[in-house]
Amino acid sequence: MSNTLFNTELAIIQAPMAGVQNAQLAVAVCEAGGLGSLPCAMLSKEQLINELDYLTYHTNKPYNLNFFCHQVSPYSEAEQQQWHELLSPYFAEFEIDASQFSRKASRQPVDQQVIDTIATYKPPVVSFHFGLPNQEIIAQIKAWGGKVLSSATTLDEARWLKERGVDAIIAQGKEAGGHRGCFLSMDLSLQPSTEQLVHDCLCLDIPIIAAGGISTPEQVKMFKELNVAAVQVGSAYLLCEEATTSALHREALKTTAANNTELTTLFSGRPARGIRNRIMQELGAMPTQAPAFPYASIALTALRLKAEAQGSSGFSPLWCGEHFKAREGINAKQITALLMQGWQS
């Protein structure tokens, strides 16, 4: 069986997961017959080239590069002060001097310079989160034969993406781990489950990819029967040997805590689903003082590093989707094959 949309053997995309993977996981999924993905939003130009060189050297199969398209808003001194005030007890606990923290964005949206860097590789698939870049960039990707994907969390977002020429839409249900791809509205009450969103989007006459909380062959089979073009899976790969998931994150995934996830803005300023931990319990998952994306991460990264050095994941973004199943001692090829049993049954 082949997936004509991406020229892959299998109709599965490994979700790009910044912070818990590199090109090694993408290669493993490509070689297993799926579409491996490389998260590029946090990579410098040099890192991006190094990862692409590794990826293209180790596989000749189709792969996906993923970028962010967020709007960067300014981060005022007053906003930073409000955020630091909320976090001040933790700064005291871990002896952190926050007075010199930057107010510069650590994650930048995709731009022409990034496209120029990847153009020589002609990546077969380029996907986006938080909307789309300008039409000139879309046209350049299509000119080298690349497919363009982006995430929608509502039917309105899916329509918006279709109007701007994407080749397929990733229907990201509210069960998905990591950052929500929302961009037209931040009202989370508008965001349906993966199954409902897929149902909503199938009327658009464009390939739909189901994403969010997919962890078993049975779920894969259900989405195939709904006539999706493929499924996108992230959390199921978190414990596999090719992932760079930290020891503390892996530990949390192996416990019942993995069944207790919620959406939070604490770690970056944008809603993202992770395992409920100390800071989420004590401050609430969506404090109004959290600054816009990605500025919240500046202070949280400092707290995370101090806490992790003491063996605590209480300030770490433990991204994880709903319905997670801990599968230890398994590699990406085995996960891919297991899930695809549902597609082939």
Side-chain angles (χ1 to χ4, degrees):
M1 160 201 131
S2 65
N3 187 272
T4 53
L5 185 60
F6 311 116
N7 297 316
T8 55
E9 182 189 344
L10 303 173
I12 186 170
I13 304 172
Q14 163 251 314
M17 300 181 289
V20 292
Q21 69 151 120
N22 54 27
Q24 188 181 1
L25 177 59
V27 166
V29 175
C30 290
E31 289 297 295
L35 186 71
S37 301
L38 181 68
C40 303
M42 295 173 69
L43 301 179
S44 66
K45 180 180 178 179
E46 183 182 20
Q47 289 170 326
L48 178 56
I49 290 170
N50 287 342
E51 289 290 284
L52 264 170
D53 285 345
Y54 180 94
L55 183 59
T56 52
Y57 179 80
H58 287 91
T59 188
N60 59 5
K61 306 283 182 67
Y63 60 88
N64 167 40
L65 301 185
N66 179 259
F67 299 94
F68 287 172
C69 296
H70 58 287
Q71 301 294 314
V72 180
S73 53
Y75 183 26
S76 70
E77 191 173 342
E79 287 169 323
Q80 186 186 52
Q81 188 174 347
Q82 184 185 44
W83 182 224
H84 286 186
E85 196 172 308
L86 180 69
L87 299 175
S88 60
Y90 303 121
F91 294 152
E93 179 182 343
F94 291 103
E95 299 179 341
I96 291 171
D97 176 11
S99 62
Q100 301 304 311
F101 281 3
S102 168
R103 292 207 313 275
K104 292 182 179 176
S106 54
R107 304 174 213 186
Q108 294 295 330
V110 66
D111 58 19
Q112 187 59 51
Q113 187 177 7
V114 170
I115 299 302
D116 291 343
T117 300
I118 68 172
T120 53
Y121 297 87
K122 297 182 178 176
V125 183
V126 181
S127 65
F128 298 101
H129 216 47
F130 313 134
L132 285 171
N134 61 54
Q135 287 296 302
E136 290 81 3
I137 285 177
I138 302 290
Q140 288 172 69
I141 295 167
K142 294 199 169 196
W144 72 58
K147 301 279 189 186
V148 176
L149 314 179
S150 188
S151 298
T153 64
T154 62
L155 178 57
D156 284 346
E157 288 179 346
R159 285 200 182 102
W160 188 96
L161 294 174
K162 182 186 175 182
E163 288 166 4
R164 284 154 183 81
V166 297
D167 294 287
I169 292 166
I170 301 162
Q172 189 197 36
K174 64 183 180 182
E175 302 97 321
H179 280 95
R180 309 296 301 131
C182 45
F183 56 93
L184 290 184
S185 171
M186 292 297 148
D187 182 353
L188 299 178
S189 70
L190 299 176
Q191 298 184 10
S193 68
T194 306
E195 184 178 359
Q196 183 61 55
L197 184 59
V198 165
H199 274 292
D200 293 347
C201 292
L202 285 171
C203 68
L204 296 178
D205 194 29
I206 186 174
I208 301 297
I209 297 152
I214 301 171
S215 59
T216 66
E218 293 75 22
Q219 288 167 311
V220 171
K221 182 178 182 179
M222 179 192 75
F223 285 112
K224 183 197 178 186
E225 291 173 349
L226 290 177
N227 292 319
V228 298
V231 294
Q232 178 168 287
V233 177
S235 299
Y237 289 104
L238 284 170
L239 287 177
C240 71
E241 59 191 38
E242 296 91 348
T244 60
T245 315
S246 71
L248 286 170
H249 195 165
R250 287 175 185 266
E251 191 179 301
L253 289 165
K254 293 173 190 177
T255 70
T256 54
N259 298 318
N260 187 9
T261 69
E262 68 181 308
L263 293 168
T264 179
T265 53
L266 276 165
F267 298 102
S268 73
R270 266 185 176 264
R273 182 174 296 282
I275 298 170
R276 188 170 166 83
N277 60 0
R278 178 185 165 188
I279 192 168
M280 291 162 73
Q281 289 165 352
E282 293 179 358
L283 296 185
M286 302 268 186
T288 56
Q289 298 93 328
F293 181 89
Y295 301 112
S297 63
I298 298 168
L300 260 292
T301 299
L303 285 169
R304 169 190 183 171
L305 292 173
K306 287 281 192 177
E308 287 183 349
Q310 296 178 16
S312 167
S313 60
F315 297 83
S316 306
L318 304 170
W319 302 142
C320 180
E322 291 187 355
H323 316 308
F324 179 78
K325 294 193 177 304
R327 299 180 179 101
E328 298 182 58
I330 200 165
N331 61 33
K333 181 178 181 180
Q334 291 167 317
I335 287 284
T336 304
L338 172 68
L339 294 174
M340 283 292 100
Q341 286 173 9
W343 195 276
Q344 294 156 337
S345 63

